[in-house]
Amino acid sequence: MTDAPLDPRLHAYRADLADARLRGRVEAQRFTEGSPATLCVGCADLKPMPSAQAGNDSQLLFGERLRVFDRTDGWAWVQNESDGYVGWVRESTLGPLRAAPDHRVAALRTPLLPEPDVKAPPLDLLSFASVLRVTRYSGSYAEIEGGGWIFAAHLAPSDKADSDYIATARRFLGLPYLWGGRSSLGLDCSALVQLALGAAGLVLPRDSDQQETCEASGRQLPPDAQRQRGDLLYWPGHVALALDAERVLHATGGPMLVVEEPFAAIDARVQVERGRGLRCIRRP
C-alpha cells in the first residue's frame, strides 16, 4: 500500500469495493473491473452519496464516457473518463457505450430535436462541451448516434481547438454561479476554467486545488509575478482567469455570476475570507 492515501475524487475505492486497477494500492473487500456506459441526458448531477438530498460534487455532460462500478436503489457509482471524477449519478441517466465521439457542442447550449425541424419540440438541451458522434446530415441539421438532431452550426469537430480560451470563457459572462455546476446553465470557478481550456485542447482536472498542482495548467509562477492575459490565478479554494495585469474573469459566489472584476478587489476579499491572498499563478 502507498503511504499517502489516493484522492477519492479521482480514484474509485471504498472499504467494500474498489476499481480493479487499484488492486495493491488500496484495501477493499472486493475489486471490480466495472462496466462502460455513456451519459445519455443533457446534464446530470454527480453526488458524493446515492441520495437526491446530497450536495453536488460535479456534473456529467451528454456523451461523456463513464465506468460504472456499482448500482444500488436507482443510483450508479461511476468514474468520468473525461476528468477522472468519481461519484454517484442517477442510473436512469446512463446509456450503453457508443462509438467514439467526433464532434462537440460549441454553442453555449443547443436543443436536441426529434427531427431536423426548427419547430420540433426539443428532447433535451445539450450544453457546451457535450460530445457526440454525427451519423448523417440533412440540410442544416446533423443526426447523432443514439437519435436526435442538432443544428450543425452549433457543433465543432472534436479535433478542432478554439484558439483563444479567454474569448471562450467570456462567452459565459452573466451565467449563474452554481456550486458543483459544470454546464452552461450554471457552473463554478474551476469548471469555467476546465471548460474554456478544454475547448482549446488543454485537459485540466475538475477542482481548483487539482488544477493548481497539475502540470497541464502550465508553468508555475510566484504570486507576485507580473500577471498577463490567460494566466490562471489560484487562491485557496478559488481560481480566476487573468484578462490583463489588473482585471480577472471568474465564476464567483459573491454576485452568484460569471463576472469580470479588478484583481485587487477579489484578492482583498479572499484575504479577509480565507486568511491569505493569491497563492499561485499558472501560465498555460
Side-chain angles (χ1 to χ4, degrees):
M1 303 300 162
T2 57
D3 293 333
L6 298 177
D7 188 340
R9 294 172 296 177
L10 299 177
H11 299 87
Y13 68 95
R14 313 184 313 229
D16 64 318
L17 182 66
D19 181 350
R21 293 171 294 185
L22 302 179
R23 194 185 301 271
R25 302 181 67 190
V26 300
E27 294 181 352
Q29 295 174 8
R30 182 168 64 91
F31 290 86
T32 178
E33 298 285 347
S35 59
T38 304
L39 196 79
C40 62
V41 299
C43 182
D45 296 333
L46 193 67
K47 296 177 176 290
M49 60 187 67
S51 169
Q53 285 70 50
N56 292 343
D57 281 344
S58 187
Q59 289 180 325
L60 306 173
L61 300 178
F62 182 89
E64 287 190 310
R65 293 179 160 205
L66 314 169
R67 183 156 291 276
V68 182
F69 297 105
D70 192 15
R71 297 175 187 258
T72 181
D73 298 327
W75 292 85
W77 190 46
V78 306
Q79 184 169 33
N80 184 358
E81 293 191 358
S82 297
D83 59 17
Y85 222 86
V86 175
W88 291 90
V89 65
R90 288 195 180 275
E91 193 174 11
S92 60
T93 65
L94 304 182
L97 185 67
R98 294 172 179 160
D102 58 5
H103 284 76
R104 59 182 173 84
V105 174
L108 284 185
R109 70 190 67 93
T110 190
L112 178 65
L113 303 171
E115 55 187 300
D117 184 347
V118 68
K119 297 180 180 179
L123 303 170
D124 207 339
L125 287 174
L126 306 191
S127 183
F128 182 89
S130 298
V131 293
L132 47 89
R133 188 172 188 85
V134 173
T135 57
R136 66 183 174 120
Y137 292 90
S138 177
S140 299
Y141 292 86
E143 187 177 32
I144 68 171
E145 185 182 13
W149 296 80
I150 293 176
F151 187 59
H154 288 177
L155 302 176
S158 297
D159 59 358
K160 181 182 179 181
D162 293 344
S163 60
D164 186 346
Y165 58 82
I166 292 296
T168 300
R170 268 189 159 140
R171 296 172 58 197
F172 290 79
L173 278 168
L175 292 180
Y177 176 89
L178 178 65
W179 179 270
R182 195 167 156 260
S183 83
S184 59
L185 294 175
L187 72 175
D188 58 26
C189 63
S190 54
L192 175 64
V193 170
Q194 184 193 48
L195 292 175
L197 272 73
L202 301 173
V203 180
L204 265 61
R206 171 63 180 88
D207 290 341
S208 62
D209 65 311
Q210 299 165 339
Q211 294 174 5
E212 182 179 353
T213 58
C214 176
E215 290 185 4
S217 298
R219 181 163 55 99
Q220 183 171 336
L221 302 173
D224 59 352
Q226 180 71 16
R227 297 177 298 279
Q228 66 181 40
R229 187 179 189 274
D231 283 347
L232 308 181
L233 311 178
Y234 291 95
W235 290 266
H238 189 65
V239 60
L241 292 146
L243 298 175
D244 52 37
E246 305 300 333
R247 294 188 62 80
V248 305
L249 168 69
H250 63 152
T252 173
M256 294 292 287
L257 294 169
V258 178
V259 297
E260 294 181 8
E261 67 174 317
F263 168 84
I266 178 177
D267 195 54
R269 188 166 66 243
V270 175
Q271 287 194 49
V272 171
E273 294 173 354
R274 314 215 173 167
R276 63 172 298 177
L278 185 68
R279 186 162 63 186
C280 171
I281 297 175
R282 285 278 189 174
R283 183 164 294 165

